């Protein structure tokens, strides 16, 4: 066997001289084995894919078999809401709807209690009336004088 000391350095020869160690090591890698390994890997991938497709189809068939068909009777198709508390499915839309309802309440006339004849007026109109008539004062006496000044007559309200 040759040692490293017996070999000439790689750059010792001329460019046109053939080198005995030029080329590749033929006994390290076999092209046939590399191709065979690639084919085996592709076959394993194809077999895994086939097993996965078969399993998904089997699971889908089992799920379809277990599902209860929807009844043709309309009363049976009605879904009851679960007991409270319920989760919000669209909180942004719920907030938007609540604010629209609040705006309508503040901007429209409406009954609060029809039996007692209590009505609701728009907030703009209420502020106008308040500016015209002032706040009602209580009849409480503090230090000998009425708090809040004059009291408008009851008919004005």
């Amino acid at each position: 066997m040759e040692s490293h000391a017996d070999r000439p350095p790689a750059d010792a020869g001329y460019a046109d001289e053939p080198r005995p160690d030029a080329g590749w090591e033929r006994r390290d890698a076999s092209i046939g084995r590399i191709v065979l390994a690639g084919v085996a890997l592709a076959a394993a991938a194809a077999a895994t894919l086939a097993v996965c497709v078969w399993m998904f189809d089997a699971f889908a068939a089992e799920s379809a078999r277990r599902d209860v068909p929807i009844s043709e009777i309309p009363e049976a198709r009605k879904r009851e809401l679960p007991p409270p508390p319920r989760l919000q499915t669209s909180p942004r839309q719920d907030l938007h709807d609540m604010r629209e309802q609040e705006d309508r309440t503040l901007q429209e006339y409406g009954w609060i209690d029809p039996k007692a004849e209590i009505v609701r007026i728009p907030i703009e109109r209420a502020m106008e009336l308040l500016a015209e008539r002032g706040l009602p004062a209580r009849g409480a006496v503090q230090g000998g004088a009425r708090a809040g000044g004059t009291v408008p007559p009851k008919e004005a309200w």
Side-chain angles (χ1 to χ4, degrees), residues 32-51:
R33 287 185 181 172
I34 292 173
V35 170
L36 183 62
V39 169
L41 186 61
T48 302
L49 178 66
V51 168

Side-chain angles (χ1 to χ4, degrees), residues 110-121:
W111 286 103
I112 292 176
D113 186 4
K115 292 179 184 175
E117 296 183 357
I118 300 173
V119 295
R120 178 183 69 238
I121 63 173

Side-chain angles (χ1 to χ4, degrees), residues 87-105:
L87 298 176
Q88 286 182 306
T89 56
S90 57
R92 289 185 184 197
Q93 183 63 39
D94 293 345
L95 181 62
H96 183 280
D97 294 344
M98 181 191 76
R99 287 185 176 160
E100 278 186 357
Q101 176 61 35
E102 289 175 343
D103 288 343
R104 278 194 304 272
T105 301

Side-chain angles (χ1 to χ4, degrees), residues 96-156:
H96 183 280
D97 294 344
M98 181 191 76
R99 287 185 176 160
E100 278 186 357
Q101 176 61 35
E102 289 175 343
D103 288 343
R104 278 194 304 272
T105 301
L106 291 174
Q107 296 171 2
E108 296 176 354
Y109 290 93
W111 286 103
I112 292 176
D113 186 4
K115 292 179 184 175
E117 296 183 357
I118 300 173
V119 295
R120 178 183 69 238
I121 63 173
I123 195 165
E124 295 293 327
R125 179 68 181 140
M127 288 191 297
E128 289 172 8
L129 290 174
L130 187 62
E132 289 173 11
R133 299 179 185 168
L135 288 172
R138 294 185 174 199
V141 177
Q142 292 181 350
R146 289 186 155 209
T150 62
V151 177
K154 194 170 187 176
E155 296 80 31

Side-chain angles (χ1 to χ4, degrees), residues 18-23:
R19 292 179 45 200
D21 61 342

